[in-house]
Amino acid sequence: MAEFAKRTFYLTYYIGGTMSIIYSEKEKTFTLHTENTTYQMQVDKYGFLLHLYYGRRTEGCMDYLLRYADRGFSGNPYDAGADRTYSMDALPQELPCQGTGDYRSPAVIIKNADGSYGCDFRYKSHRILKGKYGIPGLPAVYGDGDTAETLEILMEDSVTDIQVTLLYGLLPGLDIVTRSAAIQNLGSGKIYLEKAQAACLDWLSGDLDLISFYGRHTMERNVQRIPVSHGAHVIGSRRGTSSHQYNPMLILAEHETTEDAGGCYALSFVYSGSFKGEVEKDQYNQTRALLGLTDELFSYPLERGETFYVPEVVLTYTNQGLSRLSHNLHKCFRLHLCRGKYKDCPRPILLNSWEASYFDFSGDSLYALAKEAADLNMEMLVLDDGWFGHRSDDNRALGDWFVNEEKLGGSLGSLIQKINGLGLKFGIWLEPESISEDSRLYKEHPDWVMALPGRNPVRARNQLVLDFSRPEVVDYIFEQVCKVMDQGNIEYVKWDMNRSLSDCYSRNTKDQGRVFHDYMLGLYDFLERLIKRYPDMLLEGCSGGGGRFDPGMLYYSPQIWCSDNTDALDRVRIQYGTSFGYPVSTVGSHVSAVPNHQTGRITPLHTRSITAMAGTFGYELNPETLTEAEKEEVRKQIRDFRKYEPLIRSGLYYRLTDPFRELPAAWEFLAEDASEVLVSVVMQEMHGNMPVMYLRLKGLPEGCFYQEQQSGQIFASDALMGGGIPLSDQFGDYAAFQFYFKKI
Ligand code: GLA
């Protein structure tokens, strides 16, 4: 454990003062108090670490909840002697292991040096520390000694000499508990981790709903809510990225829980690769939820002395409904996960060249775009795909990270200078993990791609994936990328990844069960080096839009392109789903042209801007195609966004309607001090003789007054929350409104 602590950050020994993590020697309990929640565990008489409770804040020892009975066909550990009422199959646990008589899904499976499967970890010691633990090579929530605490519990398997240090991080002020683990092989031979998940939550009773977020390319994070039932419900990704298909997050909510009331839990995985989330009601109607690395194609070797760090899961609980649950996650990710210069400040309003001109541009046309952008008061031009090698379309040149000066009509440096001369920043697109077969890099290093031996590789978007589990590949691409970055004042990078991994194989190792995870470690290493070397650069994550929209990426890039779908109507749904787990400050969102390039739908410019304002805001169109009146409108949108930006970025976000079920899609930003409120509404359908719809605001302090700034009308806060505001003057397809209130 000492060795582990040396490598963690932010930690100092606890020497005095009040701690929120309390160990009771008498009851052998660890109690983790946050402002509104309590998480409690207990070392039982045999040294197992039992989970006693997670929920609303409470005092006292919760072991009175445990009941023991002779359960047929549920095994008993040898230590229990003739006591047939003690079974791991029925007890709530922190670290359920395969082979202990617990037949529910385990968090850990180990193949031992002698080929046997099984492990049995018992409590050895613990430490309570100020500050939040870090995890070598992996993204993690951070916090200093004033905001965070850490509990390390050392568990040991005395037969194999494998140790697990369970890590609990606490942000008491935000009701956040994080979980990770370090698994160290101190035994005599090589072992394999066959499953290693950081978070297990066992509920003794209760009927819960599972809310998860499924989707597809250009339609990410749809919301599904289903009752937890017998039989496991499993979500996950086997794509090597967190994926468009399932977001690495689970919400468990009581049946009655709504946006505004009721108990609910979130589990969010701080990782960007394959994952697995499982929820199952067991034979005794107890529920177990697990979230972490997938065990499929995972078999991670640990030689004697080696340590494996299990990626972290963020947990939060509230008894105040889903809005509050989201607020907890939003604050945690915005303030304790995102890093860097742009973490908590305005991002430049950008014009992206992709939907403006795709691959069809020259230095002159880019300069013309930049002039238009400057004329409209935007702040940055982003040169998207197509500027490197012979990348004339998406079939070639990935991996050739050198500038196509012929296409640009000069050097990148001179183009950037000209654009900077217009008062604009400059940003660029990269896809470093990918390679085209039609590229110089592939000719030089065909062995650097992922492909199964003796077989042709699987193509997707006609491209292959570089083996980022190999340090020499990562080093080479890093060098190439730096050479590009050093050619001029590049202030933003869009980091893309446009396919899923499939036939994953590395020539570097005999242990293929490590490759998916090592790929992620290689990627994280690259990203860490990049942001360290260019600390003023704004990194935006992207994977065909929102295919890697996860907390892991947020540790490196404070914003992520939310979806390749820029249609305002689809976007309100995608952004609605995204908002459950992620703060608006992280949501890349742009106004694009109509008819929309993904759906063909025509929505008003005003509606597109209101939708994009629930994000980082920018444009993705050729301004030359706009009329003078539209240009004037764009200038106004930019003025409006600048005015509202601090509120949008850091206000409390409320979902006012569910756009999957209700006609108006509506959301609210409320300043934390309640001094101002911005409400946005998009009408999803129009019908004849429409009934009046009323929109009720949320979260306002009672007994005070607000003035709507456009109409001047004054409302009591209770009227806004109780009676709402009528939406009666909508007309035309997809009308949108904004109401901006100030407290008086
Ligand atoms: C992905 C991104 C788009 C664009 C293209 C370029 O699809 O999500 O925004 O950058 O790649 O090829």
Side-chain angles (χ1 to χ4, degrees):
M1 181 147 68
E3 194 251 349
F4 176 74
K6 259 191 271 155
R7 300 219 238 154
T8 61
F9 326 119
Y10 293 110
L11 296 181
T12 49
Y13 279 101
Y14 162 56
I15 23 183
T18 330
M19 292 294 278
S20 303
I21 300 176
I22 299 158
Y23 175 65
S24 158
E25 183 61 50
K26 185 165 151 262
E27 279 137 355
K28 298 266 184 292
T29 52
F30 298 100
T31 306
L32 281 51
H33 284 307
T34 69
E35 210 168 298
N36 304 292
T37 72
T38 296
Y39 187 111
Q40 196 179 68
M41 7 177 192
Q42 185 174 49
V43 180
D44 80 355
K45 55 188 171 188
Y46 307 118
F48 289 108
L49 188 62
L50 302 182
H51 174 80
L52 291 185
Y53 174 78
Y54 186 28
R56 66 191 300 155
R57 188 172 167 132
T58 182
E59 302 298 331
C61 180
M62 302 298 282
D63 65 358
Y64 75 91
L65 294 171
L66 301 181
R67 282 289 175 273
Y68 297 87
D70 182 353
R71 303 288 196 184
F73 289 83
S74 290
N76 313 111
Y78 206 79
D79 319 45
D83 179 5
R84 304 203 318 201
T85 69
Y86 187 97
S87 175
M88 303 321 290
D89 204 20
L91 286 165
Q93 294 172 66
E94 285 298 307
L95 181 65
C97 293
Q98 180 271 330
T100 59
D102 181 354
Y103 296 96
R104 292 167 290 182
S105 192
V108 175
I109 302 177
I110 293 179
K111 184 177 179 189
N112 296 303
D114 62 5
S116 64
Y117 288 86
C119 51
D120 181 353
F121 293 102
R122 309 290 176 98
Y123 171 82
K124 190 152 183 246
S125 62
H126 73 270
R127 300 195 311 175
I128 297 172
L129 304 148
K130 275 203 168 281
K132 161 78 174 52
Y133 64 83
I135 314 175
L138 284 169
V141 165
Y142 58 87
D144 61 17
D146 294 333
T147 52
E149 295 173 22
T150 291
L151 167 65
E152 290 181 8
I153 305 180
L154 180 63
M155 308 285 292
E156 189 184 51
D157 183 328
S158 60
V159 173
T160 58
D161 285 335
I162 301 166
Q163 294 194 339
V164 177
T165 305
L166 294 176
L167 295 159
Y168 296 84
L170 207 63
L171 299 178
L174 298 183
D175 291 331
I176 294 286
V177 177
T178 68
R179 293 200 51 185
S180 173
I183 304 178
Q184 197 177 16
N185 177 14
L186 296 176
S188 52
K190 185 174 178 180
I191 63 165
Y192 287 88
L193 302 179
E194 302 290 327
K195 188 175 185 187
Q197 294 192 314
C200 168
L201 280 181
D202 276 345
W203 287 266
L204 290 168
S205 66
D207 279 330
L208 295 167
D209 285 344
L210 168 64
I211 303 174
S212 57
F213 303 88
Y214 69 97
R216 56 186 185 272
H217 179 224
T218 69
M219 208 58 225
E220 298 90 341
R221 291 172 291 286
N222 300 280
V223 184
Q224 174 173 275
R225 182 171 182 161
I226 53 168
V228 174
S229 50
H230 295 282
H233 188 89
V234 179
I235 63 156
S237 161
R238 53 175 69 89
R239 294 167 174 268
T241 61
S242 51
S243 88
H244 302 84
Q245 284 68 22
Y246 292 101
N247 200 255
M249 173 160 112
L250 303 169
I251 293 177
L252 279 303
E254 287 158 13
H255 286 329
E256 315 72 41
T257 296
T258 63
E259 284 284 351
D260 311 311
C264 43
Y265 301 80
L267 299 85
S268 180
F269 192 29
V270 187
Y271 192 67
S272 314
S274 301
F275 74 95
K276 186 176 189 179
E278 299 166 77
V279 182
E280 181 170 14
K281 193 186 264 194
D282 75 6
Q283 55 185 333
Y284 308 119
N285 290 343
Q286 307 181 120
T287 294
R288 169 169 292 176
L290 292 159
L291 181 62
L293 293 173
T294 179
D295 46 344
E296 201 175 300
L297 299 183
F298 177 80
S299 178
Y300 205 94
L302 279 190
E303 301 280 0
R304 179 180 163 75
E306 284 183 343
T307 303
F308 182 87
Y309 299 97
V310 185
E312 148 174 300
V313 171
V314 171
L315 306 172
T316 186
Y317 168 80
T318 179
N319 60 5
Q320 290 169 36
L322 296 165
S323 297
R324 179 58 193 258
L325 196 76
S326 294
H327 295 166
N328 293 353
L329 291 173
H330 292 177
K331 286 184 197 162
C332 174
F333 293 166
R334 187 162 62 79
L335 303 171
H336 292 272
L337 185 63
C338 293
R339 297 180 293 169
K341 179 175 154 183
Y342 285 100
K343 158 185 164 173
D344 207 27
C345 71
R347 319 283 163 75
I349 297 175
L350 62 85
L351 177 63
N352 180 297
S353 69
W354 182 239
E355 289 195 24
S357 51
Y358 296 98
F359 293 102
D360 185 15
F361 58 81
S362 63
D364 287 345
S365 74
L366 289 171
Y367 185 65
L369 260 191
K371 267 172 65 180
E372 292 279 355
D375 177 54
L376 295 172
N377 300 327
M378 297 176 194
E379 292 155 314
M380 180 160 73
L381 182 83
V382 173
L383 171 52
D384 208 282
D385 198 353
W387 56 266
F388 52 91
H390 61 302
R391 179 87 166 163
S392 49
D393 60 30
D394 62 5
N395 290 304
R396 61 205 83 249
L398 287 168
D400 290 348
W401 301 113
F402 46 87
V403 178
N404 184 341
E405 297 195 343
E406 206 182 311
K407 187 168 182 180
L408 292 190
S411 71
L412 181 64
S414 61
L415 177 68
I416 297 174
Q417 264 180 7
K418 277 169 68 183
I419 289 171
N420 285 169
L422 295 168
L424 287 187
K425 296 180 193 298
F426 178 83
I428 204 160
W429 178 95
L430 292 168
E431 192 179 342
E433 298 152 80
S434 295
I435 179 167
S436 309
E437 286 155 279
D438 181 3
S439 69
R440 213 187 272 180
L441 183 65
Y442 187 75
K443 283 191 188 82
E444 284 164 18
H445 296 287
D447 56 318
W448 279 6
V449 304
M450 294 270 196
L452 295 174
R455 294 177 199 274
N456 287 322
V458 174
R459 293 175 176 147
R461 207 193 190 197
N462 215 356
Q463 65 195 54
L464 309 181
V465 182
L466 282 168
D467 182 356
F468 260 46
S469 74
R470 290 170 65 173
E472 70 272 28
V473 177
V474 173
D475 287 348
Y476 174 85
I477 299 289
F478 185 71
E479 249 173 57
Q480 301 308 305
V481 164
C482 290
K483 276 189 203 152
V484 174
M485 295 294 293
D486 294 341
Q487 284 177 36
N489 183 21
I490 298 179
E491 298 185 71
Y492 160 107
V493 165
K494 177 173 169 187
W495 182 290
D496 213 336
M497 169 49 166
N498 279 314
R499 62 161 291 177
S500 306
L501 279 62
S502 52
D503 38 349
C504 177
Y505 176 85
S506 176
R507 289 165 204 250
N508 250 25
T509 176
K510 285 210 162 58
D511 289 315
Q512 294 300 314
R514 65 182 300 158
V515 178
F516 270 112
H517 183 63
D518 284 352
Y519 179 96
M520 284 315 306
L521 295 179
L523 172 62
Y524 287 145
D525 172 48
F526 192 127
L527 292 170
E528 186 69 30
R529 282 199 260 163
L530 192 70
I531 61 170
K532 286 270 149 60
R533 180 160 164 159
Y534 303 101
D536 291 336
M537 178 259 297
L538 169 60
L539 189 64
E540 174 154 348
C542 178
S543 175
R548 210 158 50 184
F549 204 116
D550 58 65
M553 288 307 285
L554 290 179
Y555 189 62
Y556 306 93
S557 59
Q559 62 191 55
I560 300 175
W561 183 227
C562 184
S563 176
D564 270 351
N565 188 341
T566 56
D567 172 82
L569 258 272
D570 279 355
R571 265 298 182 118
V572 293
R573 293 185 176 196
I574 296 167
Q575 292 175 184
Y576 168 82
T578 305
S579 78
F580 280 85
Y582 302 93
V584 170
S585 63
T586 65
V587 174
S589 195
H590 299 164
V591 176
S592 63
V594 288
N596 178 268
H597 294 191
Q598 292 78 42
T599 62
R601 190 181 279 129
I602 296 178
T603 53
L605 184 54
H606 182 55
T607 303
R608 283 174 270 152
S609 80
I610 285 180
T611 306
M613 281 190 205
T616 55
F617 198 67
Y619 291 80
E620 183 113 3
L621 45 72
N622 185 350
E624 269 182 26
T625 60
L626 300 175
T627 64
E628 270 317 308
E630 286 171 330
K631 286 186 182 178
E632 221 14 79
E633 193 177 336
V634 166
R635 288 189 193 95
K636 179 174 180 312
Q637 291 170 357
I638 290 174
R639 279 196 306 277
D640 283 350
F641 182 71
R642 287 210 180 100
K643 181 167 82 184
Y644 301 137
E645 191 276 338
L647 175 59
I648 290 173
R649 174 169 37 85
S650 57
L652 295 170
Y653 181 90
Y654 286 92
R655 295 172 288 270
L656 296 184
T657 63
D658 174 351
F660 287 91
R661 290 158 202 260
E662 292 161 83
L663 279 193
W667 57 94
E668 171 189 317
F669 304 96
L670 170 65
E672 270 213 87
D673 65 1
S675 57
E676 46 175 354
V677 193
L678 178 67
V679 174
S680 301
V681 189
V682 173
M683 291 300 299
Q684 301 188 87
E685 275 176 37
M686 181 49 59
H687 300 287
N689 204 7
M690 289 277 273
V692 180
M693 282 167 255
Y694 296 88
L695 199 63
R696 293 195 180 87
L697 274 55
K698 295 189 176 183
L700 309 183
E702 290 168 14
C704 53
F705 291 88
Y706 283 84
Q707 183 170 40
E708 205 284 311
Q709 296 300 297
Q710 216 179 329
S711 63
Q713 207 175 339
I714 291 174
F715 300 88
S717 57
D718 299 283
L720 289 172
M721 293 190 291
I725 38 178
L727 302 174
S728 55
D729 51 356
Q730 70 272 15
F731 195 70
D733 273 343
Y734 320 122
F737 317 89
Q738 249 170 357
F739 302 96
Y740 178 52
F741 301 88
K742 279 190 168 171
K743 191 152 157 240
I744 49 175

